[in-house]
Amino acid sequence: MKKSFDINADYQPESFEFSKAFQKKVEEAISLYPKGRQQSAVMPLLDLAQRQVAEEGAKATPVYGGWIPRAAMDKIAEILDMAPIKVYEVATFYSMYNTAPVGKYLVQICGTTPCWLCGSDDIIQTCTKHLGIGMGETTPDGKFTLMEVECLGACVNAPMVQINDDYYEDLTEGSMKEILDMLSEDMKPKIGSQKARKASMALSGPTTLKERAKKAGVV
Ligand code: FES
């Protein structure tokens, strides 16, 4: 579950401005919607604010990850000419928007039934032990935050976690530790299945349409 939105928390900055580079992306996002419907851009603008904070956080000491301060939501409300509460409503509803500070690597562990049946409890235990933090907590160096989430739509390769924009699937205790170790060194672990599986294909290879799979070069 994501951390709650506390508009008066000490960590809330006084103000927020989009950088020049992000301002350009903001304008591009708004231009995709018909005139008079610019408020529909609230979701991409929230995403851009979160990404800008993540870029700033990657250079800070200690590091931190992408989240959306209240000041950024107010700025978005001003840009889109809408009531701030409407921006807060969207930001607090969706789990992909972090409304409180998180670590540089936000480890979202799926604990829904298919992942749970395939061992998500072991993955949770591996992460908490290896990082020395509980669910919803952040490591003191600001690198990792752990969170349990509901189904992320990759059940076929359960158990899985999402870390920032990437999915890591078919996890075992060993592969989970390796991923965390690589990220703690800011290296890029292999994304997707951690076994020899292609996409969501059976581990033994295609079971139907074999000729087509061969032609498409997937086996
Ligand atoms: S249950 Fe974990 S991805 Fe669907």
Side-chain angles (χ1 to χ4, degrees):
M1 205 175 34
K2 73 178 188 176
K3 294 180 183 177
S4 54
F5 179 40
D6 181 351
I7 56 172
N8 296 315
D10 291 347
Y11 52 72
Q12 292 286 356
E14 290 283 308
S15 60
F16 175 91
E17 293 295 335
F18 280 106
S19 66
K20 224 171 168 191
F22 273 88
Q23 183 58 37
K24 202 165 167 255
K25 293 180 190 184
V26 163
E27 283 157 21
E28 278 166 15
I30 295 172
S31 74
L32 297 175
Y33 297 92
K35 227 176 172 202
R37 297 274 186 259
Q38 77 278 9
Q39 292 181 1
S40 302
V42 63
M43 291 186 75
L45 264 56
L46 284 166
D47 180 62
L48 287 169
Q50 185 161 282
R51 287 179 190 280
Q52 179 175 309
V53 172
E55 277 192 16
E56 291 160 3
K59 294 180 211 139
T61 315
V63 288
Y64 54 86
W67 69 287
I68 310 168
R70 187 194 75 178
M73 297 183 207
D74 292 344
K75 173 57 67 178
I76 290 168
E78 186 190 314
I79 293 171
L80 298 179
D81 190 22
M82 61 199 289
I85 186 67
K86 289 197 166 184
V87 182
Y88 303 169
E89 281 169 358
V90 176
T92 53
F93 181 78
Y94 294 101
S95 64
M96 73 269 231
Y97 299 126
N98 304 313
T99 52
V102 292
K104 180 176 181 184
Y105 298 111
L106 175 60
V107 183
Q108 300 183 81
I109 310 170
C110 174
T112 306
T113 316
C115 280
W116 176 67
L117 286 171
C118 292
S120 64
D121 280 353
D122 295 338
I123 300 302
I124 290 174
Q125 219 187 17
T126 302
C127 290
T128 51
K129 270 196 183 163
H130 205 59
L131 297 174
I133 53 171
M135 282 296 162
E137 293 178 357
T138 301
T139 51
D141 61 1
K143 276 221 162 152
F144 294 95
T145 295
L146 284 181
M147 220 173 262
E148 183 172 345
V149 292
E150 298 305 327
C151 181
L152 291 168
C155 331
V156 71
N157 292 354
M160 60 80 66
V161 301
Q162 178 178 356
I163 305 179
N164 296 354
D165 286 339
D166 296 319
Y167 275 21
Y168 300 88
E169 305 154 8
D170 284 325
L171 292 167
T172 59
E173 193 179 321
S175 55
M176 188 68 244
K177 277 188 196 161
E178 253 173 58
I179 290 165
L180 295 175
D181 287 343
M182 286 184 78
L183 291 174
S184 71
E185 298 293 325
D186 290 322
M187 291 160 70
K188 191 99 182 100
K190 172 182 176 276
I191 59 172
S193 173
Q194 302 301 304
K195 296 186 178 163
R197 189 197 298 275
K198 290 212 165 89
S200 56
M201 192 186 289
L203 269 172
S204 54
T207 53
T208 54
L209 303 172
K210 293 183 183 178
E211 280 312 307
R212 277 176 180 255
K214 220 178 198 173
K215 259 193 202 162
V218 291
V219 284

